[in-house]
Amino acid sequence: MRPANIVTAWADILVGFAASGSGIIFIQLINGEANFALLIPLAWLLLATTGLYGGGIVFNDVFDAELDAKERPNRAIPSGRVSLKNATLLGSILFGIGIGAAFQVSWVSGAIAIFITLSALVYNSLAKHHPFFGPLNMGLCRGSNLLLGVSAVPAIIGERWYLTLIPVIYIAAITAISQGEVHGGKKITGVLALVLIAIVLTAVLALGLLPEYTAIAALPFAALLAIRVLPNFVKAAREPLPENIRNAVKIGVLSLIVLDATVASGFAGLYYGLAVLILLPISMKLAQVFAVT
């Protein structure tokens, strides 16, 4: 289920929640002007993304069972620790929890959850190994997850839909370079990934053109993102060895939290961004115990 990765999905929800304008609730709570009941939709959405991401990762291993038996025999299914039947059942239950929790917020949230489920299944079964549609498909999953956070206020989705493009491009970069994590990759793929990361860094600051977004609050987080991601991606592009690529992918996935903190701080302020960033050490700790890639 990749617990460390699931924490990054929580960050998607938190940034979407901030972009919906709901980040003000936390300030109201601190000032005693609101009660915790207003956070119930956020709790449902966090549960929803846990089920959706966990289900997607489980089905990743289900569809890859035959390939993993050759390339990664130590994984749960090919090693025999988990049967294919039980893994399929677990993934289905997790998807059910994700969709059910999303419908507790609104029918819009439920519809987005269904789209994420279908997108994850399409990625795992068909698109994963395609050089173009694979990265695009995975990016759509993460972009839709951010939109799931925005759906805390369904009426705002029409105004914030473009935010999905940021994780789409970022995840496309990670997915593109990850295609060489077993046998090694190509330098051109690494260069493409670097270009996409540069576009993301530019975009999160360019959002400052919006009146409701404070770029100066996002700047320190954007700098942290660049420091964490760029050196590893440059190394993987120069020397596309499996070890370098796996390290770049791992850092890239965990740094999704930094990306989310960057955008969240722009919409909801420095302290909200720091609150999102707290998820990073949690995810990194989990990454020491559980696989990320």
Side-chain angles (χ1 to χ4, degrees):
M1 287 173 60
R2 313 284 199 280
N5 302 37
I6 288 178
V7 175
T8 71
W10 294 349
D12 291 343
I13 297 297
L14 289 173
V15 69
F17 194 72
S20 74
S22 300
I24 189 68
I25 293 175
F26 289 92
I27 298 175
Q28 293 173 339
L29 285 171
I30 293 173
N31 295 332
E33 300 170 357
N35 59 66
F36 284 95
L38 294 175
L39 295 179
I40 290 177
L42 176 61
W44 281 118
L45 292 174
L46 289 172
L47 177 60
T49 198
T50 299
L52 295 172
Y53 199 106
I57 288 296
V58 170
F59 271 103
N60 174 75
D61 282 12
V62 167
F63 283 106
D64 273 2
E66 187 175 338
L67 180 63
D68 285 343
K70 301 175 183 177
E71 296 183 346
R72 302 176 183 181
N74 61 319
R75 279 192 166 180
I77 296 175
S79 68
R81 298 196 304 276
V82 178
S83 71
L84 192 63
K85 178 182 177 181
N86 284 344
T88 303
L89 178 61
L90 173 61
S92 300
I93 291 173
L94 287 168
F95 275 145
I97 291 173
I99 293 172
F103 269 110
Q104 300 305 309
V105 178
S106 71
W107 70 266
V108 174
S109 302
I112 294 173
I114 291 173
F115 177 79
I116 293 172
T117 298
L118 295 175
S119 296
L121 290 173
V122 169
Y123 174 79
N124 288 327
S125 61
L126 296 173
K128 180 188 303 182
H129 301 293
H130 193 281
F132 174 76
F133 290 108
L136 177 62
N137 195 162
M138 178 53 72
L140 283 173
C141 289
R142 293 301 298 230
S144 299
N145 195 47
L146 188 154
L147 205 61
L148 185 63
V150 178
S151 73
V153 183
I156 301 296
I157 288 180
E159 299 179 25
R160 296 285 185 265
W161 65 268
Y162 56 85
L163 292 176
T164 61
L165 297 177
I166 294 175
V168 164
I169 296 171
Y170 185 83
I171 286 297
I174 295 175
T175 307
I177 203 170
S178 73
Q179 293 175 357
E181 66 179 339
V182 176
H183 301 295
K186 300 177 181 178
K187 288 187 177 182
I188 185 64
T189 306
V191 172
L192 173 62
L194 277 172
V195 170
L196 292 175
I197 293 295
I199 292 173
V200 168
L201 290 170
T202 302
V204 296
L205 295 178
L207 287 173
L209 296 173
L210 300 173
E212 61 272 23
Y213 188 90
T214 308
I216 192 66
L219 185 59
F221 297 97
L224 176 61
L225 179 63
I227 291 170
R228 280 182 56 84
V229 174
L230 287 179
N232 293 283
F233 271 68
V234 168
K235 185 175 181 180
R238 286 179 174 175
E239 303 175 48
L241 303 173
E243 182 180 354
N244 292 340
I245 291 174
R246 282 194 294 269
N247 188 54
V249 171
K250 180 179 179 179
I251 295 297
V253 169
L254 297 182
S255 294
L256 268 161
I257 294 173
V258 185
L259 173 61
D260 286 337
T262 304
V263 180
S265 63
F267 279 109
L270 179 65
Y271 293 117
Y272 189 98
L274 289 172
V276 175
L277 194 61
I278 289 174
L279 294 176
L280 181 60
I282 297 174
S283 185
M284 291 174 67
K285 192 67 177 178
L286 287 170
Q288 295 175 3
V289 183
F290 301 99
V292 172
T293 67

